[in-house]
Each structure stands twice: as C-alpha cells, then as structure tokens.
Amino acid sequence: MTLRTVHKRCSSMALVVAFLVSVRSEAQTLNELIAGAKKESELAFVAGATTFGGRQAFAELQGAFNKRFGLNARLNHTAGPSMPAMAARIIAEAKAGRKSSTDVHLGPPATHAELHNERLLERVNYSRIFPWITKEMEILPGDTVLVYTSLQGILYNSNLLPKEKAPKAYEDLVDPKLSRSWEGKMAIPPYTSWLVELSLIWGEKRVIDYVRKLLPLSAGQVRYGEIEERVSSGEFVVMANSGSAVEGMWEWQGKGAPLVGVTASDPVLTSYFQLGVPKNSAHPNLAKLFVGFMASPEAQRIVDKYEKRSSHLVEGTRMANYVKDNCLKLQSASELLASFHEGKGLEFRAELTKMLKQ
C-alpha cells in the first residue's frame, strides 16, 4: 500500500467520521437533550448587560426554562463585549483549543455568518426537536434560531417635528424642501452596516451619493442605544437610522417620551437576532435547549415584558402583530447573510467608513 493510498483512505475515513458526528448531532431528540442537560448544572451566557431585559428578566427566564424541561439549572448571564467582539472571542478560544466562555451566542447575520464560515456552530435540527420552531425560524438552517426581530428606521421628536413635516423614508432626509426642519439638528450613526444593507435595495452608487448629501446635514454621530434619550430630550430632532427604531419607540413612548419610529424603506431594513451554540460550548445540551426555549411563546412574553423585543415569526407577539397590521415586507435574511460573505463589497464598505470619518 502506497503512502498516497494511506492518506487517501485516512482522509475518506475522516470525512465519514465527520459526517456521522454531524448526523448524530442533528438526530438528537428532545428527551436526549434533557437527559444530557441534567448532567450540566449551569449555562454560561456572555452578552450585553441588558440583553433580554437583564438580571430580573433572567430570573424569570430561568424559572420558565426549568419548568418547561423539568430541570434545575442555573442560567448565568454575564455582561460582556459587543456581539462582533464576542464572536471573535469564540473563534480565538476554539483555535486555542479552549472551551467557549459562552455556551450560546446572540448576534445578527453578520456575526453568525462569520461563525458559520469558521464551522464553529453546532448543527442542530431545531425545527424537528422543538414543536414550536419552524424551518423559517432557522435563519441559518441547522445553526441558528431567530429570537427577536429589530426593525430599523428613522427616529424623530414629535414635539419638535409635526407628523406632516416628519420624514417618512430615508430619501426624505436629504430632500431640500423637507430637510430644512432638521438641518444641523440630525444625528447619524457611526456605523456603515445600515448603509451596506440599504445598498442591497438601492445599489452601491446610489448609497454613496446619498451619504454625500446626508453628511452636511448632520450635527454629529451617535451610537445606537444612546440616541433615544437624546432625541426625546430635544438635543436632536431626528436620528437618520436606529437599529431598533420600532422597539425604541415602544419603550420610550411607554415612559411618556415624544419619540416616533419610522420604518423608512421598502422592504424594511431588518436585523435578525439569532442564538446559536458554539461547537466548543462547555454545556452543549443546556445550550441547545436554551436556544429552542428562547423562541417559545413563554420566553417571548418575558423578553417583551422587559425589553419590548420579540420575533415576528412567533404568532401573537408584539412584533408579529406590528408587521402584520402594517403589511410590512422585511428585508430578506438570506440576502443579508450572502452580503456578509468574506470579500464581498469590501471596497464599498471601506469607502463608507472613510466618508463617515471625515
């Protein structure tokens, strides 16, 4: 037997083993996951401090989670870095041969596309294991499950800008007749992501032309999560784009703030926040159960209670009703995933970054 033949057979065997491992993972049943989870006492989840509503929400989620699956597990939520930084940490830990510091990862298509390309997400047949999960909820089939949908758009202060003069689409922000009402009083985000996503609808050239008109009207750049209060207070009249314009409106109007969110494109720029399980998870059974649980009606109710977030694919949620009542068409999740493949649109992204820094 030649050395080449040995290598060929070893490679073939490795592929067979990898295939069998994958099949085994996808073939797990709910009862098998629960049995495995009983041997894992706690789940580690590293994410933003207010994720899913923070500490109080997690206490409720833990009780509902244990009741659903007959467990006595602890859900340990630790405040951590941004979603992209967390994905980078998972990749670094895997390459170093270490267990992931988080058992589940929450992120939009961009970060999960990165983990998917590195083949670092557990393959799980979620829609077969969990009766309430549909194939459509698996944004990356077999890798991730949608847990909440964020609708991007414009925010404005309704005390300072009456409805008839308010922008209804991104194009309105640079309309010479309309923009007099917010020129020098408009904030813009310091990110290129929303513009990249808008280019999937408009094309790259149109977006570049748009940014050239938008920047002179701006009074400064403000990060997501900080803008709602500053628009509500009147510091800014308009925010050109918020990553969660609709949910932000719900939350701040509940506090009595004059904040209005407008979905400013058709289809609507949409952020699909998903959960997935890293292959180097220390508690994989609890992690898979948690991913499935977070798409359940009871988990959705808890998150909506504390954070006004929910999935448009779970019937009866606030977001599902809003999308339905307003007959909204959402940006394709598959198109978003495709746009984040390595090497696609890098020059365009670099040009946008340069423009925002000027």
Side-chain angles (χ1 to χ4, degrees):
M1 184 181 295
T2 66
L3 185 59
R4 180 178 294 179
T5 303
V6 171
H7 283 169
K8 186 175 180 180
R9 288 191 176 184
C10 288
S11 297
S12 298
M13 183 60 72
L15 288 172
V16 170
V17 170
F19 174 75
L20 290 175
V21 169
S22 175
V23 170
R24 174 60 183 164
S25 176
E26 292 186 10
Q28 282 183 295
T29 66
L30 181 58
N31 287 337
E32 286 176 332
L33 286 179
I34 293 173
K38 288 180 177 179
K39 301 174 184 178
E40 302 168 352
S41 60
E42 62 181 12
L43 174 92
F45 181 35
V46 182
T50 60
T51 298
F52 298 149
R55 183 176 299 179
Q56 192 173 359
F58 262 85
E60 285 196 38
L61 287 169
Q62 178 176 291
F65 176 77
N66 285 327
K67 181 179 180 180
R68 161 67 75 168
F69 300 118
L71 299 171
N72 188 31
R74 293 191 301 275
L75 303 183
N76 293 327
H77 172 218
T78 304
S82 67
M83 293 171 183
M86 198 63 232
R89 180 191 291 184
I90 292 169
I91 292 170
E93 289 169 338
K95 289 182 176 178
R98 300 196 303 268
K99 290 293 185 183
S100 172
S101 51
T102 185
D103 288 314
V104 291
H105 175 65
L106 175 70
T111 59
H112 277 114
E114 188 175 1
L115 292 171
H116 173 80
N117 291 340
E118 294 285 343
R119 299 186 179 183
L120 285 179
L121 291 170
E122 284 274 7
R123 297 287 299 168
V124 183
N125 195 335
Y126 291 106
S127 58
R128 184 185 61 80
I129 295 172
F130 301 97
W132 55 85
I133 292 180
T134 65
K135 280 290 184 184
E136 190 180 4
M137 294 177 188
E138 296 185 52
I139 303 298
L140 270 169
D143 281 359
T144 64
V145 173
L146 180 69
V147 290
Y148 65 83
T149 310
S150 283
L151 303 184
Q152 300 186 49
I154 298 168
L155 290 175
Y156 71 89
N157 185 312
S158 58
N159 282 349
L160 302 177
L161 197 61
K163 187 175 182 180
E164 62 272 14
K165 292 185 178 181
K168 298 175 178 59
Y170 290 120
E171 297 96 317
D172 292 346
L173 293 176
V174 296
D175 185 305
K177 294 180 181 179
L178 296 172
S179 62
R180 295 170 187 168
S181 299
W182 52 80
E183 183 175 359
K185 303 173 186 177
M186 176 177 67
I188 62 173
Y191 320 111
T192 62
S193 57
W194 71 284
L195 296 166
V196 172
E197 291 161 18
L198 190 58
S199 74
L200 300 179
I201 303 171
W202 287 5
E204 294 180 3
K205 183 181 183 303
R206 183 179 171 189
V207 169
I208 292 294
D209 291 341
Y210 176 73
V211 175
R212 288 196 180 106
K213 297 174 183 176
L214 187 71
L215 289 174
L217 302 172
S218 167
Q221 298 182 12
V222 182
R223 295 183 297 180
Y224 296 157
E226 298 177 0
I227 190 60
E228 290 84 359
E229 183 173 4
R230 297 175 74 175
V231 172
S232 297
S233 69
E235 180 182 352
F236 296 99
V237 175
V238 170
M239 173 61 161
N241 187 73
S242 168
S244 53
V246 171
E247 306 98 284
M249 173 180 67
W250 291 336
E251 180 183 357
W252 284 82
Q253 284 187 356
K255 301 175 183 179
L259 191 70
V260 176
V262 178
T263 53
S265 63
D266 184 20
V268 179
L269 297 188
T270 307
S271 297
Y272 298 93
F273 288 92
Q274 313 142 61
L275 282 173
V277 180
K279 283 187 176 178
N280 52 337
S281 166
H283 310 98
N285 295 291
L286 275 174
K288 294 169 190 176
L289 288 177
F290 183 74
V291 170
F293 170 72
M294 290 307 298
S296 69
E298 61 261 49
Q300 292 283 306
R301 283 192 293 270
I302 293 170
V303 174
D304 180 77
K305 173 182 174 182
Y306 288 97
E307 207 183 21
K308 303 297 184 291
R309 296 186 185 272
S310 54
S311 167
H312 75 289
L313 295 178
V314 178
E315 187 175 357
T317 64
R318 188 195 301 257
M319 185 57 76
N321 291 338
Y322 185 85
V323 170
K324 181 180 179 182
D325 292 346
N326 290 278
C327 301
L328 297 179
K329 179 183 178 182
L330 307 187
Q331 191 167 33
S332 166
S334 59
E335 286 186 12
L336 286 173
L337 286 166
S339 75
F340 290 112
H341 280 302
E342 185 178 357
K344 185 172 182 179
L346 292 182
E347 291 183 7
F348 172 60
R349 294 166 195 257
E351 185 172 0
L352 289 174
T353 300
K354 183 179 178 180
M355 294 175 74
L356 290 178
K357 288 182 177 180
Q358 290 177 348

